[in-house]
Amino acid sequence: MKSPHPDLAMSWFHRFLSLATRAAGKDEDWEFTEEPHTERRRKILKKYPQIKQLMGYDSNIAYITTVEVLIQLFMCWVLQDANWSSILILSYCFGGVLNHSLGSAIHEIGHNLAFGHSRPALNRILSIWCNLPMAVPMAVTYKKYHTDHHRYLGEEYQDVDIPTRLESYLFRHPITKMLWLLLHPIIHGIRPFYKSPKPLTGWEMINTAVQLIFDVVILKVFGVKSLVYLLAGTLMALGLHPLAGHFISEHYLFNGGQATHSYYGPLNFVLFNVGYHIEHHDFPYIPYSRLPEVKKIAGEFYDDLPYHTSWCKVVWDFIFKDYMGPHARGVGYLKDEKTEAKADQNGRVKIEQNGVCKVKSS
C-alpha cells in the first residue's frame, strides 16, 4: 500500500480509531481538537484556490427530484390493485431505489445546494417535496442533525451518525449485524433524539404535517397497498440493501485510521455523487455535480487514498468480517500523547487482507 500524502500523514484525517477502542478507554483520554477535514481543506485551497469557483448551488436537482416524485406517484396508481408479492419486490428493487435517491437529494438540499444559502426557505420546501414518497417525515430533522455530523465528525457524542456503545456491544455476530442493518433506518432515525436531543423547530412541524396529509391522501386515493409500497421501499432501501452500503463505506475503519472513504462507482449516478465523500467533507458547499471536478483538480490529495468500488462488497464485509460492525465506526480524538500507543495496539487493517479498498497508484 502506498503511503498517504506526506503532508497529511499526521493530520486527524489519518488518526481515527474504532468505537470499540474508544469505549475501552477512559473518557479523560479523549478531547475534541479539530474536525479532520479542516486541515485538508486549508492545504487544498492554498494550492488550488480556483476550487472556490466550484462553490455555489445546482438547481437542476429540483427538476430531477420532481421527476422521481412523480414516478413514485405513478407507481402508487399502478400498484393499487397489485398482489402483495409484487408490492414488496418492487418496493425493494425499484421504489426503494427512488426513495433512497430522494434521501440523498435531501442530504444535498440540506446543505442549501439547490437554491443557495440566500434562499433557505426554498431549500426546505424542496426537501419536504422530496420527502413525500418516503412516507416518513425526516427531511428537516435530518438537516438539523447532519450539520453536527460535519462540524463534529468523529466526536462520539455530537456526531449522531456514530452508533451508541450499546449498539457496538450487541451487534457483533453476522446474524445480529444483519439484524442491525435491517433495523438501520429505525435506529438511525431515533438515535439523534436520545443521543443529542435538540428542540423541535417550526419547519419540522410543517414537515410532519405535510407528510401526514400526503400519507392520508395516498391511503384514501390509492389504498393501503400503495402506501405500503412507499413505506416499505424506504425501510428496505435504507436497511439491508446495496445502496445502503454508502452508510458504512463513508466513515467505518476499513483502512487503518482513515476518517472518511470515498466510493467511485456507477451507483453515484443514482445517489447524487454521495460516494465522493472525502471530497464532500472537504468542501460541503460544492454541489454534487461538481465534486468530481474537485478530485480532478486536486488529484494528489485524493488519488493515493484507499477507496471503495462496490457497496455490495462493503455490506458483505460488514456482515461477515469480525473486525467490521457498528464497533468499527471511526471516532476521534485521542489526546496527542496517547495516539501512537493506541494506534500500535489497535493495529492497521491492511488493504491486502480485507480486499475492500483499492489504491490507485500515481
Side-chain angles (χ1 to χ4, degrees):
M1 182 183 73
K2 190 169 181 178
S3 298
H5 192 284
D7 290 338
L8 301 177
M10 292 305 294
S11 72
W12 276 113
F13 183 76
H14 294 287
R15 289 166 56 192
F16 268 36
L17 296 166
S18 70
L19 177 59
T21 302
R22 171 74 170 91
K26 299 178 180 179
D27 284 343
E28 58 267 25
D29 291 343
W30 299 71
E31 63 179 356
F32 180 79
T33 54
E34 182 181 83
E35 193 277 329
H37 288 264
T38 303
E39 181 183 353
R40 288 177 50 82
R41 186 180 306 116
R42 284 196 298 260
K43 292 183 177 181
I44 294 172
L45 286 177
K46 182 178 180 180
K47 188 170 184 179
Y48 299 106
Q50 64 267 37
I51 285 181
K52 292 181 180 180
Q53 302 303 314
L54 299 176
M55 297 178 183
Y57 59 91
D58 185 348
S59 297
N60 287 325
I61 194 171
Y63 302 109
I64 299 170
T65 54
T66 294
V67 171
E68 291 181 323
V69 171
L70 294 177
I71 289 174
Q72 286 292 67
L73 289 174
F74 173 74
M75 291 300 296
C76 286
W77 174 74
V78 169
L79 296 173
Q80 56 188 317
D81 296 319
N83 60 63
W84 283 108
S85 59
S86 297
I87 295 287
L88 294 177
I89 291 171
L90 284 170
S91 292
Y92 189 88
C93 299
F94 184 75
V97 173
L98 285 178
N99 279 1
H100 202 133
S101 179
L102 288 167
S104 292
I106 287 171
H107 163 260
E108 183 80 3
I109 299 162
H111 287 279
N112 292 327
L113 297 177
F115 299 109
H117 296 285
S118 64
R119 292 179 285 182
L122 286 180
N123 286 287
R124 300 294 77 73
I125 292 169
L126 180 60
S127 69
I128 292 171
W129 167 251
C130 294
N131 197 164
L132 293 178
M134 300 183 73
V136 179
M138 49 76 66
V140 177
T141 302
Y142 174 82
K143 170 187 167 42
K144 182 172 69 175
Y145 286 101
H146 187 68
T147 299
D148 285 348
H149 169 64
H150 278 266
R151 183 178 296 140
Y152 303 110
L153 177 63
E155 205 289 314
E156 183 182 4
Y157 303 107
Q158 295 293 325
D159 183 354
V160 296
D161 283 4
I162 297 175
T164 62
R165 296 187 184 190
L166 181 61
E167 292 171 61
S168 74
Y169 293 139
L170 292 179
F171 303 100
R172 295 286 186 105
H173 188 275
I175 293 177
T176 59
K177 285 190 281 186
M178 289 180 67
L179 178 62
W180 185 85
L181 286 172
L182 286 168
L183 297 176
H184 177 260
I186 298 172
I187 294 173
H188 192 77
I190 65 176
R191 188 191 297 135
F193 295 102
Y194 62 80
K195 189 173 185 181
S196 181
K198 297 178 183 292
L200 190 68
T201 68
W203 274 110
E204 284 179 287
M205 290 187 282
I206 293 171
N207 189 180
T208 301
V210 170
Q211 188 64 60
L212 290 176
I213 292 171
F214 175 83
D215 290 349
V216 170
V217 170
I218 292 295
L219 185 62
K220 294 293 185 180
V221 175
F222 300 117
V224 66
K225 290 183 177 180
S226 295
L227 184 59
V228 169
Y229 161 76
L230 295 176
L231 179 60
T234 297
L235 295 177
M236 289 192 289
L238 298 178
L240 189 55
H241 193 281
L243 291 180
H246 81 84
F247 292 117
I248 302 166
S249 69
E250 293 165 357
H251 301 292
Y252 280 75
L253 297 186
F254 285 88
N255 180 66
Q258 185 170 311
T260 308
H261 287 83
S262 285
Y263 157 84
Y264 303 128
L267 295 179
N268 275 322
F269 174 78
V270 179
L271 298 190
F272 296 97
N273 281 339
V274 73
Y276 284 82
H277 215 66
I278 299 176
E279 295 85 347
H280 169 64
H281 271 268
D282 286 345
F283 301 101
Y285 298 134
I286 292 180
Y288 77 98
S289 55
R290 302 172 198 162
L291 289 176
E293 188 67 16
V294 173
K295 184 177 184 296
K296 182 178 179 181
I297 292 172
E300 69 269 31
F301 288 88
Y302 299 99
D303 292 344
D304 291 337
L305 295 175
Y307 58 88
H308 296 283
T309 58
S310 170
W311 280 330
C312 291
K313 184 70 164 64
V314 166
V315 173
W316 178 270
D317 286 348
F318 180 85
I319 295 171
F320 294 107
K321 300 291 186 181
D322 290 338
Y323 59 81
M324 291 306 300
H327 60 282
R329 177 54 157 81
V331 298
Y333 299 78
L334 193 63
K335 291 180 180 178
D336 290 351
E337 66 270 16
K338 299 180 181 293
T339 302
E340 293 302 325
K342 283 287 187 181
D344 290 342
Q345 293 170 17
N346 194 52
R348 290 178 62 84
V349 179
K350 300 295 185 182
I351 291 179
E352 295 80 8
Q353 292 175 337
N354 62 43
V356 176
C357 302
K358 295 182 180 180
V359 176
K360 180 179 178 182
S361 299
S362 57

